[in-house]
Amino acid sequence: GWCPLSPTGAQTTQLQVEPPWIPAVLWDRVTLTCQGSGTDGATTWYKDGQRWGQEGVNNFTVTKNGTYTCDRPGTGLSPPVTVSNDRLVLQAPAWPLLEGDSVSLHCRV
C-alpha cells in the first residue's frame, strides 16, 4: 500500500506503509519503506520535523508514534505519514478510492 500517492509519472520520494491501512497505528507493527529513484542507501529520515536516527536504511519498523518523512537525493522529501497510538481506529485502505468503489473498513480496538 502506498500512502500517499503522487501524480502519475512524477519522480518523487514516497513512503510505503505496511500493513497498507490508514490511519497507521503503532500496535499494527507498521513498517515504513522509503521509495524513490534517487540514490539508494542514502535515505535520511525525519520524525516530527527533526532529523532522526535511521540514516541510510530504506525501511524500518516504527516503534514510536509520530509523523515520519524521508528524503532521497535526487527525488527529495516524501509526503508525511503519521503513525498514531490511538486505542480505537476506523481504518481504510491506504490506496486511493473513487466514488462507487467497494471498500472494506476496519474498526479496531
Side-chain angles (χ1 to χ4, degrees):
W2 294 95
C3 174
L5 290 177
S6 65
T8 303
Q11 296 298 313
T12 60
T13 303
Q14 297 293 323
L15 277 180
Q16 181 182 14
V17 182
E18 285 295 335
W21 295 93
I22 52 173
V25 286
L26 198 58
W27 39 268
D28 255 348
R29 292 190 52 82
V30 173
T31 298
L32 298 179
T33 301
C34 191
Q35 296 281 345
S37 60
T39 308
D40 192 37
T43 303
T44 301
W45 290 92
Y46 297 87
K47 178 182 177 294
D48 300 324
Q50 302 288 322
R51 197 175 187 131
W52 190 64
Q54 296 287 338
E55 301 288 328
V57 299
N58 292 329
N59 62 69
F60 69 97
T61 300
V62 177
T63 58
K64 295 182 186 254
N65 60 300
T67 299
Y68 293 85
T69 55
C70 67
D71 182 79
R72 297 282 294 271
T75 52
L77 196 64
S78 72
V81 169
T82 298
V83 180
S84 74
N85 202 20
D86 294 339
R87 296 182 63 195
L88 176 65
V89 293
L90 180 62
Q91 292 178 308
W95 52 88
L97 299 170
L98 300 174
E99 185 176 347
D101 286 350
S102 294
V103 62
S104 294
L105 302 177
H106 287 173
C107 184
R108 314 231 349 248
V109 64

